[in-house]
Amino acid sequence: MHKILKTEVLGPDVYRMVVEAEKIAKKRKAGQFIILRIDEFGERIPLTIAGADPEAGTITLIFQTVGKTTEHLATLKVGDHISDLVGPLGKPTHIENFGTAICVGGGIGIAPLHPITKALKEAGNRIISIIGARSKDLLILEDEMHEVSDELIVCTDDGSYGEKALVTEPLKRILDSGTQVNVCVAIGPPIMMKFVAKTTEPYELQTLVSLNSIMIDGTGMCGGCRVDVGGETRFTCVDGPEFDGHKVDFDLLMKRLDAYKEHERASYERWREEHTEECKLLEEMQKVQQDGN
Amino acid sequence: MAIERLTDARKAELVEQLGELKPKERMQIERHAMPEQEAEQRRNNFNEVPFGYSEETAMLEAARCIQCKKPTCIDGCPVNIDIPAFIKLIAEGNFRGAIRKMKETNMLPAICGRVCPQETQCEEVCVLGKKYKPVAIGRLERFIADWERESGEVDIPEVAPSTGKKVAVVGAGPAGLTVAIDCARFGHKVEVFEALHKPGGVLVYGIPEFRLPKAIVNAEVDVLKRMGVDIHYNYVVGKLESVNELLERFDAVFIGTGAGLPWFMGIPGENLIGVYSANEYRTRSNLMRAFDFPAYDTPTLKGGVVVTVGGGNVAMDSARTALRLGADRSILVYRRSRVEMPARVEEVEHAEHEGVEFHLLTNPIRCMGDEKGRVKQIECIKMELGEPDDSGRRRPVPMPGSEYIMDVNTVVIAIGNGPNPLIPQTTGDIETKKWGNIIADDKCRTTKRGVFAGGDIVLGAATVILAMGAGRDAAKAINEYFETGKWTGEEPEPEPEPNAKA
């Protein structure tokens, strides 16, 4: 059982949660993830570790409510418990001083991108970060990213904040400007990662992406998280979650992420009908956060 | 379902009658079937298929054993259970005595009685089998274990006084549970580290409820806990703590992480939605209870036409699970013929009775999907048997021009598993074979001092009982290692490092 110590609304449908996980907090490295199961009836879902405090024995999770499990998670309060939390899973990001690194994050993907950017910065890299979201209120961790970047470019799809652009536009501009860039890390929706990889490919810029496949055990046992990387089947949980972005079959990944769409919708609706009180409370929390902005 | 009891009077009568039987008369008693759920009914539920023997049937079946002077059955058992002795006690109506005799060698009889391939082990070599049918040893084993559990008085094995030694067991599957029980009996402190949120390993994620009810696994694990063994769940050794780190806290480490890496065929379309590894298909249904979605959150694809590829127990379990999840048709595709199927005979029969269709001497060559990436069709080719291969079985050879296409909704690949790579990957000095199996000698010793391994991680995908046998051997070897302080017999032992634990 893992006690929830802090909860916070980061943006519309985006939450930050600090959870007791002493051993994981000590062990985890940038790029790794956990799998959690809220209770006996719960499914197992992977979430990236957004941060950790080894001394306090806590880890930070940032998630967006996209279905039943994440919404259920969002309704949990300080003092509540998560039944199962397993990790750290996946291979840590390979961190070294590459020279200059471009870190590209989209939407909720900025959460896993932040610890990697931080680690790259600490290893001595010059960091150019590009973060984007659909609109201003959906943009998270701007200050945190600012802190670990030498240069930070913010863009929104609707132009409500920063540049009105997709993240690929400033990325291409930088690459065209002749700036020497040695590595690119891109984390966000699969469609964003696909186009970042397409943008960097002509420049032969090494591009790492972090995938969020559906998985159950997270130890290589079920194979549900398989992806096609350069024509070979790989398991996101044990071979990843990071892969060479130029080799990932993103179209397959996107299709596989939709495998249970109908089940997920039915499950979500059922939950909302049965938990009207909790849903109302969430809406109020959301409102307070928006008013605060 | 509760075991049907005997009245004291009837029991006494039976004991007397059976005690007077001559060997010839014993042999002429017919082997007793186990009553079971009707195929039509059971294919729609996840309840266990056989109901087990009544006390009377068990005594009558036990009376068939002629108590050979040189019993062959004991050698046929991977853990050498004293089979004639426990059966004799059943025939005498001494069920408590029988279970105690059983547990001298096998601590998990309720599980073994259900999942062991008895027909290729103890029952295959039963002397009666030469002329008649062998004694139903497996069914009697199951009976006696169920009898004890239902009696509400489960013996907790005696634990020797504490030795002060600590053993870490990685993986709470059949191998790990056995090592844990035996090491605890020797008086060592045991902690088990399990990656999943429940104990049992393949017994829980793999073998379905209708073949091995989870309540039985839990009851066996409960005994372990009452012996003072601690089990840590959600604990992935290799990630949360390495084997080397465990060695700083423990005097010995046992690795029983199993064959948890599903093989795929490498055919086109294998990554389409609806193509599962048998591990995933079974884990969703068994561990995560997807059959009860949406009460449980984990979904699984149900209904339609399900094609399972393979001929082992896992394939049978998958094909039968498909029926219970509401498949209109459950088709099993196997590249060899029926006699080469590695599955237990009983499982093949059960599958057939429930309506699983067998496409034998057939192999899939590709899967085809729709624009959403969902599998819609599978193309297969007919095979014929050629010359024997390394396994001694005749090698299947494709017959050109025999290709055919079937419409499908789900495909389950059940062609086997490789060893789970997490520990070898994260512990440099444990040597492995070509396919990643950990190398261990006849005492389960790996190439790293203090580290033992057994079960599928060493053997490759094998059986529950072989894993338990390895667990038993490993516990003995661990005990010997603690007593002698010696790792291998021949070489001079290195002095313990000053900071190493005694």
Side-chain angles (χ1 to χ4, degrees), chain B residues 327-462:
Chain B
D328 301 319
R329 289 176 73 191
S330 176
I331 301 167
L332 189 116
V333 170
Y334 180 53
R335 63 194 183 126
R336 300 179 200 254
S337 71
R338 184 160 174 154
V339 289
E340 286 93 9
M341 277 188 174
R344 292 173 85 207
V345 171
E346 189 179 315
E347 307 311 327
V348 179
E349 285 172 5
H350 276 150
E352 201 169 36
H353 293 162
E354 288 166 14
V356 173
E357 300 166 44
F358 290 176
H359 287 207
L360 302 175
L361 288 165
T362 303
N363 212 26
I365 46 179
R366 66 182 170 128
C367 297
M368 291 89 90
D370 63 10
E371 72 287 349
K372 287 182 175 162
R374 291 178 188 269
V375 69
K376 289 290 163 196
Q377 290 181 312
I378 188 167
E379 182 171 1
C380 297
I381 188 165
K382 287 281 183 193
M383 312 288 277
E384 58 190 342
L385 293 178
E387 295 300 308
D389 64 11
D390 296 344
S391 73
R393 297 178 298 179
R394 292 174 65 192
R395 185 192 301 277
V397 186
M399 295 165 68
S402 67
E403 297 86 350
Y404 65 101
I405 291 174
M406 285 189 279
D407 289 344
V408 292
N409 301 86
T410 302
V411 174
V412 182
I413 309 291
I415 58 165
N417 279 286
N420 192 288
L422 268 184
I423 295 218
Q425 253 176 29
T426 53
T427 317
D429 42 0
I430 294 177
E431 282 175 33
T432 57
K433 282 181 235 168
K434 192 177 162 197
W435 300 109
N437 295 96
I438 292 179
I439 296 173
D441 65 10
D442 58 347
K443 289 186 174 172
C444 301
R445 294 180 296 203
T446 68
T447 50
K448 188 177 177 71
R449 187 184 170 93
V451 180
F452 299 77
D456 282 1
I457 189 71
V458 172
L459 301 169

Side-chain angles (χ1 to χ4, degrees), chain A residues 91-111:
Chain A
K91 290 183 175 164
T93 308
H94 172 70
I95 301 290
E96 64 168 72
N97 190 350
F98 295 97
T100 298
I102 291 197
C103 298
V104 187
I108 193 75
I110 303 168

Side-chain angles (χ1 to χ4, degrees), chain A residues 27 68 222 226 256 260, chain B residues 245 270-271 275-277 297:
Chain A
K27 273 284 169 166
K68 190 226 154 163
C222 84
R226 58 199 194 274
R256 286 187 66 88
Y260 301 100
Chain B
E245 285 167 315
E270 215 168 5
N271 290 336
V275 182
Y276 287 107
S277 74
D297 289 342

Side-chain angles (χ1 to χ4, degrees), chain A residues 27-275:
Chain A
K27 273 284 169 166
R28 72 95 212 189
K29 291 199 173 88
Q32 290 187 297
F33 63 94
I34 55 101
I35 284 180
L36 66 78
R37 191 179 75 131
I38 298 176
D39 59 28
E40 186 56 32
F41 298 95
E43 60 180 338
R44 294 169 63 105
I45 60 159
L47 288 177
T48 39
I49 304 170
D53 183 340
E55 263 142 51
T58 62
I59 58 168
T60 302
L61 304 172
I62 294 178
F63 58 93
Q64 188 170 17
T65 50
V66 291
K68 190 226 154 163
T69 301
T70 41
E71 183 140 321
H72 184 185
L73 193 61
T75 61
L76 297 182
K77 299 179 202 68
V78 170
D80 285 348
H81 288 82
I82 293 169
S83 171
D84 301 288
L85 197 61
V86 55
L89 298 171
K91 290 183 175 164
T93 308
H94 172 70
I95 301 290
E96 64 168 72
N97 190 350
F98 295 97
T100 298
I102 291 197
C103 298
V104 187
I108 193 75
I110 303 168
L113 183 70
H114 175 254
I116 296 169
T117 311
K118 190 171 167 225
L120 285 169
K121 176 75 185 164
E122 283 163 2
N125 290 279
R126 190 171 95 83
I127 307 286
I128 305 170
S129 294
I130 305 169
I131 57 172
R134 284 204 308 277
S135 60
K136 185 188 175 191
D137 53 351
L138 286 164
L139 189 77
I140 59 166
L141 304 181
E142 186 191 351
D143 293 346
E144 286 89 340
M145 285 302 290
H146 190 83
E147 241 169 65
V148 294
S149 307
D150 294 278
E151 198 182 319
L152 176 70
I153 299 161
V154 178
C155 40
T156 49
D157 296 6
D158 64 359
S160 53
Y161 189 60
E163 262 185 74
K164 182 181 190 304
L166 300 171
V167 289
T168 45
E169 293 166 51
L171 174 64
K172 186 158 191 322
R173 202 168 61 223
I174 293 164
L175 297 176
D176 281 338
S177 74
T179 306
Q180 181 67 37
V181 180
N182 307 90
V183 70
C184 172
V185 182
I187 310 181
I191 190 81
M192 182 210 95
M193 293 191 281
K194 176 181 172 175
F195 283 99
V196 167
K198 276 202 168 169
T199 306
T200 60
E201 200 164 14
Y203 302 89
E204 293 176 5
L205 173 62
Q206 185 194 345
T207 301
L208 294 172
V209 293
S210 180
L211 309 184
N212 58 334
S213 317
I214 294 172
M215 51 181 79
I216 305 179
D217 62 294
T219 61
M221 187 271 283
C222 84
C225 65
R226 58 199 194 274
V227 284
D228 185 313
V229 182
E232 275 179 46
T233 294
R234 308 292 298 276
F235 289 2
T236 304
C237 66
V238 286
D239 300 324
E242 279 165 27
F243 293 103
D244 179 346
H246 297 147
K247 291 186 178 162
V248 171
D249 182 342
F250 286 101
D251 296 332
L252 177 75
L253 172 72
M254 285 185 267
K255 283 175 186 164
R256 286 187 66 88
L257 283 169
D258 280 346
Y260 301 100
K261 218 173 182 176
E262 283 163 33
H263 295 86
E264 284 160 7
R265 193 180 301 127
S267 187
Y268 195 12
E269 280 167 12
R270 183 173 179 266
W271 193 83
R272 294 191 74 124
E273 276 166 28
E274 288 172 4
H275 296 81

Side-chain angles (χ1 to χ4, degrees), chain B residues 217-266:
Chain B
V217 180
N218 292 338
E220 305 279 30
V221 171
D222 195 47
V223 170
L224 204 70
K225 290 181 187 160
R226 287 166 63 190
M227 291 170 75
V229 173
D230 292 327
I231 307 184
H232 307 278
Y233 301 108
N234 301 314
Y235 206 112
V236 182
V237 172
K239 290 288 178 189
L240 194 58
E241 189 167 7
S242 68
V243 170
N244 289 339
E245 285 167 315
L246 284 176
L247 278 173
E248 290 168 16
R249 305 200 281 135
F250 293 89
D251 303 288
V253 175
F254 174 82
I255 301 169
T257 46
L261 188 77
W263 284 338
F264 289 92
M265 304 186 70

